[in-house]
Amino acid sequence: MNQRQKVLNFLGLAQKAGKLVTGTDAVILGLKAKKVYFVLVGSDLTQNSLEKITQVSSKVNVIVNQDFTSDEISQAIGQERKVIGLIDQKFSKALKQKIKEGV
């Protein structure tokens, strides 16, 4: 199994553990409430939605990752989504490490 697939499998685990919020509006609300610690957006997200998310995430110093397509994210979490936010610090730290190891 390659590193990219390991990251996607970890996203599925985070979903099952209830450690994700999904959708642009929910992630933005979570960022504003400082409850989202890491954001993944599909590389094919519209520019308008991406700008909304990056504006809020930059204000609260949260990283936005665009290494995966919306299809990959959707398949990993079992529902069609282009934007997800991790709401658990330990899961966020682990996911960042897995991505850093190479995707």
Side-chain angles (χ1 to χ4, degrees), residues 3-11 68 95 98 103:
Q3 190 63 26
R4 187 173 191 85
Q5 190 58 49
K6 287 180 182 178
V7 171
L8 293 169
N9 289 348
F10 188 78
L11 283 178
F68 301 94
L95 184 62
K98 288 183 182 305
V103 287

Side-chain angles (χ1 to χ4, degrees), residues 29-48:
L29 286 173
L31 285 166
K32 288 180 178 178
K34 298 185 179 179
K35 292 183 178 181
V36 170
Y37 301 101
F38 188 67
V39 177
L40 280 103
V41 299
S43 56
D44 49 342
L45 186 67
T46 65
Q47 189 63 33
N48 186 37

Side-chain angles (χ1 to χ4, degrees), residues 7 11 21 23-24 27-32 36-70 73 82-86 92 95-96 99-100 103:
V7 171
L11 283 178
V21 290
T24 304
V27 170
I28 288 173
L29 286 173
L31 285 166
K32 288 180 178 178
V36 170
Y37 301 101
F38 188 67
V39 177
L40 280 103
V41 299
S43 56
D44 49 342
L45 186 67
T46 65
Q47 189 63 33
N48 186 37
S49 294
L50 180 60
E51 287 174 7
K52 287 179 187 177
I53 290 168
T54 54
Q55 282 178 349
V56 177
S57 65
S58 65
K59 289 179 184 176
V60 293
N61 294 322
V62 172
I63 296 171
V64 175
N65 179 285
Q66 289 182 272
D67 288 336
F68 301 94
T69 66
S70 297
I73 292 170
K82 294 183 180 199
V83 180
I84 60 172
L86 277 94
S92 298
L95 184 62
K96 287 176 197 176
I99 290 172
K100 188 177 179 182
V103 287

